[in-house]
Structures are given as C-alpha cells and as structure tokens.
Amino acid sequence: LRDRKALGSSGACEAIVGALKTHVTNDSLLSVILRRTRSLSDRNLAIRGCDAIFQLARSNDSNERKSKNGSQERRHKLVIAGSCEVVAKLFLRHGEEAAVIHAAMKVVVVLAEGREPGNNVVAKRLTLLGCCAAVVDALATFPVNSQLVKWSLRAACVLTQACRLSVQLLVDEG
C-alpha cells in the first residue's frame, strides 16, 4: 500500500497513462478501426499498462477503503491524465485480443465503481467514449472466457448503476 501511495504522489498515474496514450494516439481513430495492430509488443504494452492503472486505482487496504482518500485521489489523477480515452481506444485497437479486453474491462470497473459523485461522471465519460459497446462486443466475442465475461458483466453493472445513459446504450447495442 505504501508503494501505491508513493507511486500515486510521485507522478506515476500521469506517466503510465501518458505512455499508453502515446501508444494508442499515434494513429487516427479511423486508422485504428481499419487496422487493428496485432503485434505482441503492442498487446503486452496494453495489458501491462491496464494492469498498472488497475493496481494504482484500486484500494485493497481496509484503512484506505474506509477513508477512500488515497484511491479516489489516484483515480482522479488517472482520469485527468486521460485513462478513460486510452481505455476506449484500446477497446477499438485490440477488440479481438481477449487478454487486452480483459485488462481494459478491469480498468473500467475500478475507475467507475463506488458511490462517490465523481465516479458517476467517470462512468458517463466511459459510456460516451463507447465502453458500453465494448462490453456488448466482449460478451458476444468471448462468451466462453469466464474471467473476461465476469469483468465485462461487472463493467456493465458499474456503468448502468452510474447513469441511465449507459442503460440505454447497452440496450441499443444488443
């Protein structure tokens, strides 16, 4: 936990999201859709980046869960740095890579879960960026991947609990 707090206060949130942002924003959105990159290094970078965001954003210490200050502050830094936009682009770029989608779903959940008012804003942002469509796509594409299905369903729950817009988009998407 001390390491997570130290990383959060030393600029790690911004650095990690910045590295992933560079990875996914070198291409235009159209080229990302038309040419999904399949290189092993790109996939590993996406997975490791999502894992780093997930670890920084979550709270697994009982004291931190009670206060919510540490993890909420790190989540806020990650969102301000552009983690929502990065995750949305990862869904587009790596939509057929189960391991990347699994890691990205975990990020959606950890960024948007909770009852704090800021989390509703994050959930709405993720929804508007296409994460509801990504949830539906993941469930349709990987129905036998139990861990991916679990995290996709958690993402759907978190997004729908946060805003009615998510419910409508999930219904519209399938």
Side-chain angles (χ1 to χ4, degrees), residues 2-22:
R2 243 182 295 134
D3 293 338
R4 190 176 290 130
K5 285 181 180 178
L7 284 168
S9 63
S10 69
C13 295
E14 297 82 358
I16 291 166
V17 174
L20 273 173
K21 197 182 287 187
T22 300

Side-chain angles (χ1 to χ4, degrees), residues 5-174:
K5 285 181 180 178
L7 284 168
S9 63
S10 69
C13 295
E14 297 82 358
I16 291 166
V17 174
L20 273 173
K21 197 182 287 187
T22 300
H23 168 69
V24 297
T25 58
N26 283 340
D27 296 328
S28 70
L29 185 58
L30 181 59
S31 68
V32 169
I33 293 170
L34 295 176
R35 177 190 49 83
R36 292 188 180 192
T37 306
R38 298 194 190 274
S39 88
L40 184 59
S41 64
D42 279 353
R43 184 177 64 213
N44 286 338
L45 177 72
I47 293 166
R48 299 300 172 251
C50 286
D51 287 346
I53 291 171
F54 177 77
Q55 292 299 326
L56 278 170
R58 74 187 190 114
S59 63
N60 64 348
D61 176 82
S62 61
N63 292 332
E64 192 175 47
R65 270 191 228 121
K66 288 176 189 169
S67 72
K68 304 264 185 191
N69 292 336
S71 62
Q72 272 303 111
E73 183 180 326
R74 290 189 305 273
R75 282 186 217 174
H76 180 71
K77 287 181 179 182
L78 289 162
V79 170
I80 294 299
S83 59
C84 295
E85 292 77 10
V86 166
V87 168
K89 278 212 175 180
L90 286 174
F91 283 132
L92 291 173
R93 177 178 264 195
H94 296 282
E96 296 171 5
E97 301 280 349
V100 176
I101 300 305
H102 177 240
M105 286 296 172
K106 290 171 65 174
V107 171
V108 168
V109 170
V110 78
L111 290 178
E113 72 182 346
R115 299 191 188 280
E116 294 80 17
N119 292 10
N120 287 343
V121 172
V122 172
K124 287 177 185 175
R125 187 178 200 168
L126 288 164
T127 297
L128 292 172
L129 289 168
C131 289
C132 288
V135 168
V136 172
D137 289 347
L139 291 169
T141 306
F142 307 105
V144 295
N145 185 325
S146 62
Q147 286 300 306
L148 179 53
V149 168
K150 175 183 111 175
W151 282 97
S152 297
L153 292 173
R154 281 188 73 184
C157 288
V158 167
L159 293 173
T160 56
Q161 287 174 355
C163 60
R164 291 177 193 220
L165 175 62
S166 298
V167 174
Q168 186 59 48
L169 287 173
L170 280 169
V171 169
D172 291 347
E173 290 294 332

